Amino acid sequence: MTGNNIPIGPYHPLLEEAEYFNLVIDGETVVDIDMDIGWMHRGHEFISEQKTFTQSIYLVERICGICSTSHPIACVHAFEDVDNIEIPERAAYIRTLVGELERIHSHLLWLGLAGHFIGYDTVWMWAWKYREPVLQMFEIISGNRNHYGMMRIGGVAQDVDPAVIPELNKHLDMIDKKMAMIAKVAKDDPVLRSRLKRVGVLSKQDAIDYCAVGPTARASDVHTDVRKDEPMDAYPWVDFDEIVLPNGDVYDKLVVRVLETLESTKICRQCLEKLKTVKGPVLNNVKEISAGEGLGRYEAPRGEVFHFVKTDGSNRPVRHKVRAPSYVNIPTFTASCKGIPVADALITLASVDPCYCCTERSFKLMDVNHDPCTLDILALSREKTQQIRRELHVD
Amino acid sequence: MAETTGFFQDMNTVISDLVEKRLRYYFVVKDEDLHKVVIYLFKTMGCRLSTATATERYDAIEVLYHFSHDATGTYYCPRILMTNKDKPQMSSITRIVKGAEWIEREMAEMYGIDFKGHPRKEPLLTKDNSQVRVQPLRARRIS
C-alpha cells in the first residue's frame, strides 16, 4: 500500500485488544485504509464441535467478555431452531432481562471509551461509574458480574428471586436518571456536537452494501434490529422503540446508543414487572436434539450476532458457525474513514464499537512515501477537541 | 408473504431441494445460477447477507449463504455443493455483495475453496502464522 502509513497495532498501548489498521494518509487526510485481523483467532468453531450442546453454550459465552450473553442467546436460539423448541414464558422474560442489561453495560462502556478518545475524560468516568450498578445487578441475578451462565436449551439456568426485584428497580431508576443527564449533555454540548457531527459518515447505501448491523447501521437510516425483525423470547410482548437516525456520522452513532440505553431500561422494567406475576418453570426438559440445521440470532449491543448449527442426532454439533456483529461492521471503515482528517480517524474507528475478541483483529498509519509515521493519534484526537473548545470559548 | 412467493416463482427453474422451516428456506443452487439468485435476493428483495457457512461433507464441500430479509424476519439460504473435493471451486459473490469479502476469504483459507472472481484472494485470519496447518477445518467427514 503506497502513501504515508501510520501503523497502529497489533499491540498498541492505546488499544484494549490486539488490532492492526493501516491508514494511508496524504498530509492530514486519510486516503485509504486496510485492516489486518486474526491476532485473536482461537478456533471456537472447531472447539465447539468437540463439545456437548451445553458445553458449547459455555464455550461461546467466552468468545467475548462484553457480549458474554449475546453469544449464548444466539447459540441456544440456533439449537432450539433445529426442533422448534419452545421455552417457558418466565424464562423468556429472564432471557430478555439479562440481554438488555448487557446492552446497557456495553453501551456505557463504549460511551466511556468514546469520551476518553476525544478528550472528554469526565464522560469516561461518569459512564464507567454508572456501569458499575449494572454489573451489580448481574451479580444479584446470576451470582456473577460477567459470564453469567444463564442460558440453556429450553430456557434459563436459574430463576430470578421476586424478593430482589425492588432492588433491581432501584438500580434502574438511578441509571435512567444518569442516562437522561448524559443524553442532555450529548444534545446540548456545543463542543461535542462540533467534534462529532459530520465526522466519519457512513452513508445509507454503504451500510447496506457492507451489510452493516446494529447501531452502526441504524445511525445510517437502515432499519435492522433483530428484536423487531424476528422477535423472540419476550420481545413480542414488550413495548420499545427501534432507534434509527439519518446522518450516519459519529454523533448519530453516539445518540443511537444513548437512546437505546433508555429503551433498554424500559424493557427491563417491563420484564421485572412481569416476573412478579408470571409463574411457572424456567427450563423445559430437552432430552435430545434431532438431526438437522438450526439458525439463531440475537440483537447484541453491536448488532446481530449469528449462530448456525448442524446436528446429526448425537449430543454435539457437527458444524457450528459463529458470526459476531463486528465482523461485518469493521469493513465499513473502508467507506467511513476515507477523506477524513487523521485526528478524526480514532473516534471513527471506535464509533462502530469494534469488538476484536469476537472478530479477531487489529491499526497502522502509513506515509505516502512508505516512511514510518510517529503521529500520536490519541493526542491528535484529543487536541482537536481542545481546539474546538478554544474556538467556541468553552472552558 | 408476497416476497417469498415471488422469489420462488421467479427462481423456480434454478433452485432445487427446498427445505422449508419456520421463517427459514434452505435450497440448492448450481454455481452457474448463483449470481442470478444473489442479485434477486440482495438487489431486488433488499435482503442482507448475514454470513455464509462452509461445511465438509462426505460427498462434497458445501457453502451455505444466509440472506436475511429483515422486513419479514425470513432467512433465505442458497446452498452450493462442490463435489470435486480435491479442488473445490465456485463463483464469488463479493462483486455483488461487498459484505461477503471477509467471509469468502475465511472460507477459502479454512476449506481450500477457490472463489472465482474474488477481488482479494489472500488469507484473512491465519496470514503470517506458520503454525496453522493448511485448510484447518478440512478432513472431517460430515454426512
Side-chain angles (χ1 to χ4, degrees):
Chain A
M1 188 177 272
T2 58
N4 265 338
N5 297 343
I6 305 180
I8 300 178
Y11 300 102
H12 193 281
L14 159 67
L15 302 161
E16 291 71 35
E17 297 175 69
E19 51 211 291
Y20 191 84
F21 295 100
N22 192 359
L23 301 185
V24 182
I25 58 170
D26 186 2
E28 290 271 309
T29 307
V30 177
V31 292
D32 202 2
I33 181 168
D34 191 26
M35 293 146 273
D36 198 0
I37 70 170
W39 306 90
M40 301 178 76
H41 182 60
R42 292 162 289 169
H44 272 97
E45 292 180 13
F46 180 77
I47 299 169
S48 177
E49 293 156 18
Q50 331 298 318
K51 304 288 182 190
T52 64
F53 295 127
T54 306
Q55 288 172 333
S56 286
I57 299 166
Y58 279 97
L59 176 75
V60 299
E61 188 159 13
R62 278 143 185 85
I63 288 177
C64 175
I66 302 172
C67 35
S68 67
T69 210
S70 301
H71 280 289
I73 295 177
C75 181
V76 294
H77 281 170
F79 289 134
E80 287 162 1
D81 188 54
V82 175
D83 285 335
N84 291 327
I85 295 166
E86 299 287 333
I87 66 167
E89 189 180 350
R90 189 168 174 83
Y93 282 110
I94 295 173
R95 268 191 194 176
T96 301
L97 171 69
V98 174
E100 290 304 317
L101 283 175
E102 183 174 85
R103 191 178 321 282
I104 298 170
H105 99 69
S106 178
H107 283 354
L108 282 169
L109 183 95
W110 176 83
L111 190 65
L113 285 174
H116 174 63
F117 289 159
I118 59 168
Y120 261 75
D121 284 345
T122 310
V123 172
W124 172 33
M125 290 174 194
W126 275 353
W128 284 31
K129 178 184 175 185
Y130 305 133
R131 176 175 172 260
E132 183 62 23
V134 187
L135 302 183
Q136 288 169 359
M137 290 171 79
F138 279 124
E139 194 170 353
I140 293 167
I141 293 170
S142 71
N144 295 321
R145 287 162 56 87
N146 212 323
H147 299 310
Y148 327 113
M150 290 287 283
M151 299 306 143
R152 291 286 185 280
I153 299 168
V156 292
Q158 51 180 317
D159 203 350
V160 174
D161 183 356
V164 304
I165 291 176
E167 192 182 348
L168 296 175
N169 272 323
K170 220 166 86 182
H171 282 305
L172 285 174
D173 288 343
M174 191 280 289
I175 293 163
D176 262 349
K177 208 169 126 191
K178 300 301 178 187
M179 285 313 295
M181 177 185 73
I182 292 172
K184 190 169 183 308
V185 168
K187 201 177 154 194
D188 295 346
D189 189 317
V191 179
L192 204 58
R193 289 173 72 89
S194 305
R195 182 69 183 84
L196 302 178
K197 273 275 184 195
R198 292 176 291 282
V199 168
V201 175
L202 178 70
S203 70
K204 182 175 182 177
Q205 192 55 49
D206 281 333
I208 291 170
D209 287 347
Y210 283 96
C211 305
V213 293
T216 305
R218 288 194 288 276
S220 295
D221 202 20
V222 177
H223 287 260
T224 172
D225 188 330
V226 176
R227 299 174 296 169
K228 291 282 187 191
D229 302 337
E230 191 190 352
M232 298 179 79
D233 303 326
Y235 288 110
W237 313 317
V238 293
D239 173 44
F240 69 102
D241 294 326
E242 180 187 2
I243 310 294
V244 178
L245 293 177
N247 301 315
D249 53 17
V250 179
Y251 183 79
D252 276 11
K253 291 188 177 86
L254 182 147
V255 176
V256 164
R257 290 193 175 93
V258 171
L259 296 179
E260 273 188 5
T261 307
L262 292 168
E263 291 301 315
S264 291
T265 59
K266 203 162 99 183
I267 297 171
C268 289
R269 281 179 203 289
Q270 294 173 63
C271 290
L272 288 172
E273 202 52 43
K274 285 287 182 183
L275 286 174
K276 289 178 185 169
T277 53
V278 174
K279 305 291 178 196
V282 293
L283 183 62
N284 281 339
N285 188 6
V286 180
K287 290 194 171 169
E288 59 182 19
I289 304 279
S290 52
E293 292 170 318
L295 191 156
R297 53 180 174 162
Y298 179 69
E299 186 69 18
R302 293 165 184 76
E304 177 203 59
V305 53
F306 177 95
H307 283 241
F308 171 80
V309 295
K310 196 178 173 93
T311 56
D312 62 355
S314 69
N315 65 343
R316 59 191 70 204
V318 291
R319 181 76 176 96
H320 187 170
K321 176 70 193 166
V322 179
R323 199 275 284 136
S326 297
Y327 194 87
V328 285
N329 284 339
I330 289 175
T332 63
F333 293 157
T334 314
S336 60
C337 279
K338 281 184 190 170
I340 63 171
V342 182
D344 289 337
L346 187 62
I347 190 62
T348 303
L349 295 175
S351 69
V352 308
D353 194 5
C355 179
Y356 301 94
C357 282
C358 288
T359 322
E360 336 344 59
R361 356 350 1 233
S362 211
F363 189 170
K364 164 175 172 181
L365 293 194
M366 277 205 294
D367 189 302
V368 265
N369 303 317
H370 280 279
D371 296 332
C373 201
T374 54
L375 287 175
D376 183 340
I377 199 165
L378 176 62
L380 273 174
S381 177
R382 292 167 68 98
E383 173 52 32
K384 184 168 180 181
T385 308
Q386 291 302 327
Q387 193 185 334
I388 291 171
R389 279 202 181 105
R390 286 192 292 272
E391 286 166 10
L392 294 172
H393 306 291
V394 177
D395 286 326
Chain B
M1 288 176 287
E3 294 93 349
T4 306
T5 312
F7 171 74
F8 286 113
Q9 276 174 0
D10 293 350
M11 294 291 124
N12 184 35
T13 54
V14 297
I15 65 171
S16 60
D17 300 308
L18 173 68
V19 177
E20 186 181 344
K21 289 177 70 176
R22 186 192 62 87
L23 296 176
R24 281 105 173 88
Y25 298 96
Y26 301 89
F27 46 88
V28 174
V29 175
K30 287 184 181 156
D31 183 40
E32 55 266 34
D33 299 319
L34 178 63
H35 281 191
K36 190 178 172 186
V37 171
V38 168
I39 289 170
Y40 195 102
L41 288 169
F42 188 68
K43 307 259 187 199
T44 309
M45 291 176 65
C47 290
R48 173 176 55 78
L49 179 69
S50 270
T51 193
T53 306
T55 308
E56 182 175 7
R57 308 181 354 171
Y58 277 110
D59 55 343
I61 301 289
E62 170 193 303
V63 169
L64 186 65
Y65 287 96
H66 309 282
F67 282 92
S68 170
H69 190 249
D70 289 342
T72 56
T74 309
Y75 261 100
Y76 298 87
C77 304
R79 195 189 306 271
I80 310 295
L81 298 171
M82 289 160 277
T83 49
N84 184 354
K85 292 178 67 175
D86 294 328
K87 286 182 85 172
Q89 199 180 48
M90 63 174 285
S91 305
S92 163
I93 65 162
T94 299
R95 300 223 183 256
I96 305 165
V97 188
K98 281 184 192 168
E101 184 192 328
W102 276 17
I103 186 60
E104 287 190 342
R105 283 171 65 188
E106 183 181 326
M107 291 191 290
E109 70 185 301
M110 293 295 170
Y111 287 88
I113 302 166
D114 177 18
F115 285 92
K116 290 178 288 177
H118 194 287
R120 189 174 178 180
K121 291 185 178 180
E122 61 179 81
L124 178 76
L125 297 171
T126 60
K127 191 170 66 170
D128 303 328
N129 192 334
S130 58
Q131 294 182 330
V132 175
R133 69 173 189 166
V134 178
Q135 302 169 15
L137 291 184
R138 284 292 298 270
R140 297 164 310 130
R141 302 288 183 262
I142 296 170
S143 57

mmCIF file of all heavy atoms in Angstrom, chain A residues 187-204:
data_model
loop_
_atom_site.group_PDB
_atom_site.id
_atom_site.type_symbol
_atom_site.label_atom_id
_atom_site.label_comp_id
_atom_site.label_asym_id
_atom_site.label_seq_id
_atom_site.Cartn_x
_atom_site.Cartn_y
_atom_site.Cartn_z
ATOM 1 N N LYS A 187 -26.829 16.267 23.694
ATOM 2 C CA LYS A 187 -27.687 17.108 22.858
ATOM 3 C C LYS A 187 -27.271 18.581 22.931
ATOM 4 O O LYS A 187 -27.294 19.297 21.932
ATOM 5 C CB LYS A 187 -29.127 16.950 23.359
ATOM 6 C CG LYS A 187 -30.188 17.318 22.348
ATOM 7 C CD LYS A 187 -31.558 17.046 22.933
ATOM 8 C CE LYS A 187 -32.587 17.949 22.276
ATOM 9 N NZ LYS A 187 -33.845 17.972 22.997
ATOM 10 N N ASP A 188 -26.887 19.029 24.126
ATOM 11 C CA ASP A 188 -26.678 20.467 24.340
ATOM 12 C C ASP A 188 -25.229 20.933 24.226
ATOM 13 O O ASP A 188 -24.996 22.105 23.971
ATOM 14 C CB ASP A 188 -27.194 20.871 25.731
ATOM 15 C CG ASP A 188 -28.706 20.688 25.839
ATOM 16 O OD1 ASP A 188 -29.332 20.527 24.787
ATOM 17 O OD2 ASP A 188 -29.229 20.682 26.971
ATOM 18 N N ASP A 189 -24.276 20.042 24.435
ATOM 19 C CA ASP A 189 -22.876 20.479 24.479
ATOM 20 C C ASP A 189 -22.395 20.894 23.083
ATOM 21 O O ASP A 189 -22.309 20.063 22.176
ATOM 22 C CB ASP A 189 -22.000 19.337 25.019
ATOM 23 C CG ASP A 189 -20.590 19.804 25.300
ATOM 24 O OD1 ASP A 189 -20.006 20.550 24.488
ATOM 25 O OD2 ASP A 189 -20.050 19.413 26.342
ATOM 26 N N PRO A 190 -22.059 22.178 22.890
ATOM 27 C CA PRO A 190 -21.641 22.629 21.549
ATOM 28 C C PRO A 190 -20.328 22.004 21.096
ATOM 29 O O PRO A 190 -20.129 21.757 19.898
ATOM 30 C CB PRO A 190 -21.517 24.146 21.714
ATOM 31 C CG PRO A 190 -21.336 24.388 23.169
ATOM 32 C CD PRO A 190 -22.038 23.282 23.879
ATOM 33 N N VAL A 191 -19.427 21.733 22.042
ATOM 34 C CA VAL A 191 -18.126 21.167 21.663
ATOM 35 C C VAL A 191 -18.318 19.737 21.148
ATOM 36 O O VAL A 191 -17.769 19.348 20.111
ATOM 37 C CB VAL A 191 -17.161 21.179 22.868
ATOM 38 C CG1 VAL A 191 -15.824 20.570 22.478
ATOM 39 C CG2 VAL A 191 -16.963 22.599 23.371
ATOM 40 N N LEU A 192 -19.122 18.986 21.870
ATOM 41 C CA LEU A 192 -19.361 17.594 21.482
ATOM 42 C C LEU A 192 -20.006 17.523 20.092
ATOM 43 O O LEU A 192 -19.617 16.717 19.244
ATOM 44 C CB LEU A 192 -20.271 16.934 22.516
ATOM 45 C CG LEU A 192 -20.208 15.415 22.637
ATOM 46 C CD1 LEU A 192 -18.803 14.946 22.956
ATOM 47 C CD2 LEU A 192 -21.170 14.938 23.722
ATOM 48 N N ARG A 193 -20.975 18.392 19.870
ATOM 49 C CA ARG A 193 -21.650 18.412 18.566
ATOM 50 C C ARG A 193 -20.662 18.789 17.462
ATOM 51 O O ARG A 193 -20.597 18.124 16.420
ATOM 52 C CB ARG A 193 -22.810 19.414 18.566
ATOM 53 C CG ARG A 193 -23.992 18.959 19.406
ATOM 54 C CD ARG A 193 -25.024 20.050 19.521
ATOM 55 N NE ARG A 193 -25.729 20.254 18.264
ATOM 56 C CZ ARG A 193 -26.842 19.591 17.919
ATOM 57 N NH1 ARG A 193 -27.348 18.714 18.744
ATOM 58 N NH2 ARG A 193 -27.431 19.815 16.770
ATOM 59 N N SER A 194 -19.851 19.845 17.716
ATOM 60 C CA SER A 194 -18.878 20.265 16.693
ATOM 61 C C SER A 194 -17.846 19.176 16.446
ATOM 62 O O SER A 194 -17.375 18.994 15.327
ATOM 63 C CB SER A 194 -18.152 21.532 17.142
ATOM 64 O OG SER A 194 -19.060 22.526 17.445
ATOM 65 N N ARG A 195 -17.524 18.454 17.513
ATOM 66 C CA ARG A 195 -16.460 17.446 17.392
ATOM 67 C C ARG A 195 -16.930 16.199 16.636
ATOM 68 O O ARG A 195 -16.145 15.537 15.970
ATOM 69 C CB ARG A 195 -15.988 17.064 18.806
ATOM 70 C CG ARG A 195 -14.850 16.068 18.867
ATOM 71 C CD ARG A 195 -13.567 16.704 18.350
ATOM 72 N NE ARG A 195 -12.476 15.739 18.343
ATOM 73 C CZ ARG A 195 -12.278 14.887 17.344
ATOM 74 N NH1 ARG A 195 -13.075 14.876 16.303
ATOM 75 N NH2 ARG A 195 -11.257 14.042 17.391
ATOM 76 N N LEU A 196 -18.211 15.870 16.775
ATOM 77 C CA LEU A 196 -18.681 14.592 16.238
ATOM 78 C C LEU A 196 -19.634 14.686 15.048
ATOM 79 O O LEU A 196 -19.825 13.706 14.330
ATOM 80 C CB LEU A 196 -19.365 13.778 17.355
ATOM 81 C CG LEU A 196 -18.501 13.485 18.585
ATOM 82 C CD1 LEU A 196 -19.301 12.721 19.612
ATOM 83 C CD2 LEU A 196 -17.245 12.698 18.210
ATOM 84 N N LYS A 197 -20.271 15.843 14.858
ATOM 85 C CA LYS A 197 -21.193 15.996 13.722
ATOM 86 C C LYS A 197 -20.419 15.947 12.405
ATOM 87 O O LYS A 197 -19.355 16.547 12.278
ATOM 88 C CB LYS A 197 -21.928 17.346 13.827
ATOM 89 C CG LYS A 197 -23.186 17.279 14.681
ATOM 90 C CD LYS A 197 -24.357 16.819 13.829
ATOM 91 C CE LYS A 197 -25.658 16.826 14.600
ATOM 92 N NZ LYS A 197 -26.705 16.060 13.920
ATOM 93 N N ARG A 198 -20.970 15.233 11.436
ATOM 94 C CA ARG A 198 -20.405 15.090 10.098
ATOM 95 C C ARG A 198 -18.999 14.481 10.107
ATOM 96 O O ARG A 198 -18.211 14.680 9.208
ATOM 97 C CB ARG A 198 -20.399 16.434 9.349
ATOM 98 C CG ARG A 198 -21.804 16.925 9.003
ATOM 99 C CD ARG A 198 -21.799 18.283 8.344
ATOM 100 N NE ARG A 198 -21.407 19.329 9.274
ATOM 101 C CZ ARG A 198 -22.223 19.844 10.193
ATOM 102 N NH1 ARG A 198 -23.467 19.408 10.304
ATOM 103 N NH2 ARG A 198 -21.818 20.788 11.025
ATOM 104 N N VAL A 199 -18.686 13.753 11.153
ATOM 105 C CA VAL A 199 -17.384 13.063 11.237
ATOM 106 C C VAL A 199 -17.601 11.577 10.945
ATOM 107 O O VAL A 199 -18.507 10.963 11.492
ATOM 108 C CB VAL A 199 -16.777 13.240 12.648
ATOM 109 C CG1 VAL A 199 -15.596 12.302 12.857
ATOM 110 C CG2 VAL A 199 -16.343 14.684 12.850
ATOM 111 N N GLY A 200 -16.760 11.014 10.080
ATOM 112 C CA GLY A 200 -16.812 9.577 9.785
ATOM 113 C C GLY A 200 -18.159 9.108 9.301
ATOM 114 O O GLY A 200 -18.684 8.104 9.789
ATOM 115 N N VAL A 201 -18.701 9.788 8.314
ATOM 116 C CA VAL A 201 -20.059 9.473 7.843
ATOM 117 C C VAL A 201 -20.074 8.151 7.066
ATOM 118 O O VAL A 201 -19.274 7.924 6.163
ATOM 119 C CB VAL A 201 -20.594 10.610 6.948
ATOM 120 C CG1 VAL A 201 -21.951 10.230 6.355
ATOM 121 C CG2 VAL A 201 -20.699 11.906 7.740
ATOM 122 N N LEU A 202 -21.003 7.292 7.475
ATOM 123 C CA LEU A 202 -21.264 6.058 6.725
ATOM 124 C C LEU A 202 -22.620 6.248 6.058
ATOM 125 O O LEU A 202 -23.642 6.339 6.742
ATOM 126 C CB LEU A 202 -21.293 4.847 7.674
ATOM 127 C CG LEU A 202 -21.611 3.504 7.027
ATOM 128 C CD1 LEU A 202 -20.456 3.044 6.132
ATOM 129 C CD2 LEU A 202 -21.900 2.441 8.086
ATOM 130 N N SER A 203 -22.633 6.329 4.725
ATOM 131 C CA SER A 203 -23.902 6.583 4.030
ATOM 132 C C SER A 203 -24.813 5.375 4.128
ATOM 133 O O SER A 203 -24.370 4.252 4.392
ATOM 134 C CB SER A 203 -23.632 6.919 2.563
ATOM 135 O OG SER A 203 -23.189 5.741 1.901
ATOM 136 N N LYS A 204 -26.093 5.612 3.905
ATOM 137 C CA LYS A 204 -27.066 4.514 3.961
ATOM 138 C C LYS A 204 -26.706 3.428 2.957
ATOM 139 O O LYS A 204 -26.740 2.234 3.269
ATOM 140 C CB LYS A 204 -28.468 5.073 3.685
ATOM 141 C CG LYS A 204 -29.552 4.022 3.756
ATOM 142 C CD LYS A 204 -30.932 4.616 3.600
ATOM 143 C CE LYS A 204 -31.994 3.529 3.734
ATOM 144 N NZ LYS A 204 -33.349 4.053 3.673
#
